[in-house]
């Protein structure tokens, strides 16, 4: 188990993974180890062979675990064995020739510009602090493409209203500076004046707070987005990530180049950003079909 502990520290200290991600990796490894003990009387993960892993894969599929979930668990194993290779604990990974299970491509459907207009301009928000905060959260998601955890962890010191910029701490502690629209800066000023009226603030350094003075949490933000968009959209999925997807799609539809969107989203490679191009491609097809002389309108 020493190697598992070392792997956990490697993910936290060298890879800068979040505690949530590290725990997911470790839980996957412990899940597999339990299977290998029960079925092969093999506790040492260093002595595993691919046939044992293949048996585990078959077992998971037979028990109704989705291919994408299986692939995620195998990815945890792959990372562990890469670590063992790096630290010279093993000479060959048992997953060297493994191929991921096929998964259906999921197309994220962004909100339309009309849906955003409705939720920002025509929905009735609660009076006072809650309503001002909720609308600002939605508008900030839509105008910056922030991830949920990035929004939750915005600190007051990260905002420069004189320059209309926002410093964001993204994945793997990677910082980026985002522009914010003047209309958002004005909303932040209004929100801050309401925030100052909260009698007791525990998490004083954070921008967004509950009325009780503590920072927001993941489930609260998800419920907030789902609640307001349920009034304007019939889409199945209504989440902060769909707002991030909407931000990217609307920029691309209106002429932004892929590299600029990549930088705004905080992606490390264009491949990550290209998943957002599907809907902009559909928009281009429509424009092309409407405009080209050879198109049969």
């Amino acid at each position: 188990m020493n190697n598992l502990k070392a792997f956990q520290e490697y993910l936290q200290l060298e890879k800068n993974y979040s505690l949530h991600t590290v725990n997911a990796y470790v839980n996957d490894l412990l899940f597999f180890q339990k299977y290998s003990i029960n079925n092969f009387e093999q506790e040492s993960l260093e002595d595993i062979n691919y046939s044992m892993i293949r048996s585990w894969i078959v077992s998971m599929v037979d028990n109704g675990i989705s291919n994408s979930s299986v692939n995620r668990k195998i990815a945890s194993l792959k990372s562990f064995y890469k670590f063992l290779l790096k630290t010279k604990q093993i000479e060959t990974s048992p997953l060297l020739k493994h191929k991921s299970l096929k998964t259906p491509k999921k197309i994220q459907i962004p909100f339309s510009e009309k849906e955003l207009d409705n939720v920002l301009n025509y929905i009735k928000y609660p009076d006072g602090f809650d309503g001002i905060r909720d609308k600002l959260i939605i508008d900030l998601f839509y105008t910056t493409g922030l991830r949920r955890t990035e929004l939750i962890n915005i600190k007051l010191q990260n905002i420069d209203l004189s320059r209309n910029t926002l410093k964001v701490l993204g994945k793997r502690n990677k910082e980026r500076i985002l522009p914010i629209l003047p209309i958002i800066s004005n909303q932040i000023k209004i929100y801050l004046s309401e925030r100052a009226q909260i009698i007791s603030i525990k998490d004083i350094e954070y921008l967004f707070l509950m009325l009780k003075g503590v920072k927001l949490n993941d489930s609260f933000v998800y419920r907030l987005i789902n609640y307001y968009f349920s009034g304007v959209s019939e889409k199945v999925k209504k989440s902060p990530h769909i707002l991030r997807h909407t931000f990217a799609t609307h920029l691309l539809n209106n002429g932004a180049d892929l590299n600029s969107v990549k930088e705004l989203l905080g992606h490390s490679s264009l491949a990550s950003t290209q998943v957002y191009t599907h809907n902009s491609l559909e928009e281009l097809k429509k424009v092309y079909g409407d405009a080209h002389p050879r198109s049969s309108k």
Side-chain angles (χ1 to χ4, degrees):
M1 295 297 289
N2 289 337
N3 278 330
L4 186 55
K5 181 67 175 175
F7 177 62
Q8 186 175 358
E9 292 176 353
Y10 165 75
L11 294 178
Q12 287 176 311
L13 303 177
E14 291 194 38
K15 302 294 284 185
N16 288 321
Y17 286 175
S18 69
L19 183 60
H20 175 78
T21 301
V22 173
N23 287 339
Y25 274 69
V26 172
N27 287 337
D28 289 339
L29 290 168
L30 292 174
F31 182 36
F32 172 61
Q33 185 183 52
K34 183 178 179 181
Y35 178 86
S36 65
I37 291 171
N38 291 340
N39 292 272
F40 304 105
E41 297 182 355
Q42 179 60 266
E43 182 177 1
S44 173
L45 294 176
E46 295 79 5
D47 298 321
I48 292 297
N49 59 51
Y50 183 66
S51 65
M52 296 174 183
I53 297 173
R54 180 67 186 172
S55 172
W56 183 48
I57 293 171
V58 172
S59 170
M60 287 191 287
V61 172
D62 286 346
N63 281 295
I65 297 178
S66 69
N67 284 7
S68 59
S69 293
V70 172
N71 287 341
R72 197 210 74 220
K73 293 179 187 302
I74 297 301
S76 298
L77 260 67
K78 274 188 175 181
S79 294
F80 178 67
Y81 288 117
K82 282 183 181 178
F83 169 74
L84 294 183
L85 284 170
K86 184 177 181 180
T87 55
K88 303 189 186 313
Q89 303 294 311
I90 59 173
E91 294 183 359
T92 307
S93 169
L95 285 161
L96 184 63
K97 296 183 179 180
H98 173 76
K99 293 183 179 180
S100 298
L101 303 183
K102 290 184 178 180
T103 56
K105 289 186 177 180
K106 292 183 180 178
I107 297 173
Q108 301 277 11
I109 303 175
F111 298 115
S112 67
E113 291 187 30
K114 183 178 180 181
E115 286 171 330
L116 261 301
D117 183 49
N118 285 339
V119 85
L120 288 171
N121 297 313
Y122 296 104
I123 273 187
K124 173 66 176 174
Y125 288 85
D127 293 330
F129 174 80
D130 284 345
I132 291 169
R133 176 202 59 203
D134 293 356
K135 186 176 182 182
L136 175 57
I137 286 173
I138 293 171
D139 222 344
L140 200 56
F141 270 133
Y142 178 52
T143 57
T144 62
L146 288 173
R147 299 179 178 95
R148 177 168 39 175
T149 54
E150 292 172 345
L151 179 131
I152 288 172
N153 290 306
I154 294 173
K155 295 184 177 179
L156 293 175
Q157 65 185 32
N158 299 145
I159 307 164
D160 188 340
L161 295 179
S162 64
R163 295 185 178 182
N164 290 332
T165 59
L166 170 66
K167 183 189 292 184
V168 174
L169 188 64
K171 286 187 175 181
R172 303 180 189 180
N173 292 328
K174 184 179 178 183
E175 285 188 350
R176 67 187 188 279
I177 305 293
L178 295 176
I180 52 177
L181 299 173
I183 190 172
I184 302 300
S185 288
N186 290 334
Q187 283 181 246
I188 291 174
K189 290 174 185 175
I190 295 169
Y191 165 75
L192 288 175
S193 67
E194 290 288 331
R195 182 184 180 278
Q197 305 305 312
I198 297 177
I199 297 173
S200 176
I201 298 180
K202 179 181 178 182
D203 296 318
I204 188 72
E205 71 268 35
Y206 291 97
L207 172 65
F208 288 114
L209 301 173
M210 313 283 275
L211 193 54
K212 293 180 179 179
V214 297
K215 66 181 288 195
L216 307 183
N217 57 62
D218 284 348
S219 59
F220 174 86
V221 177
Y222 180 89
R223 291 196 306 271
L224 183 152
I225 299 303
N226 189 71
Y227 171 77
Y228 285 106
F229 278 90
S230 291
V232 302
S233 176
E234 295 183 357
K235 290 181 173 63
V236 174
K237 192 170 184 181
K238 298 175 278 286
S239 68
H241 183 72
I242 296 298
L243 264 178
R244 177 171 163 85
H245 182 67
T246 302
F247 162 80
T249 302
H250 289 186
L251 280 180
L252 291 166
N253 283 349
N254 286 282
D257 69 276
L258 200 59
N259 266 310
S260 297
V261 176
K262 166 185 168 290
E263 293 302 316
L264 290 168
L265 291 171
H267 285 158
S268 56
S269 70
L270 273 178
S272 300
T273 314
Q274 283 170 338
V275 300
Y276 298 105
T277 62
H278 171 81
N279 294 92
S280 57
L281 180 58
E282 294 305 311
E283 183 72 14
L284 284 174
K285 285 179 180 177
K286 182 179 181 300
V287 172
Y288 175 67
D290 290 342
H292 198 281
R294 289 281 286 164
S295 172
S296 55
K297 299 180 177 63

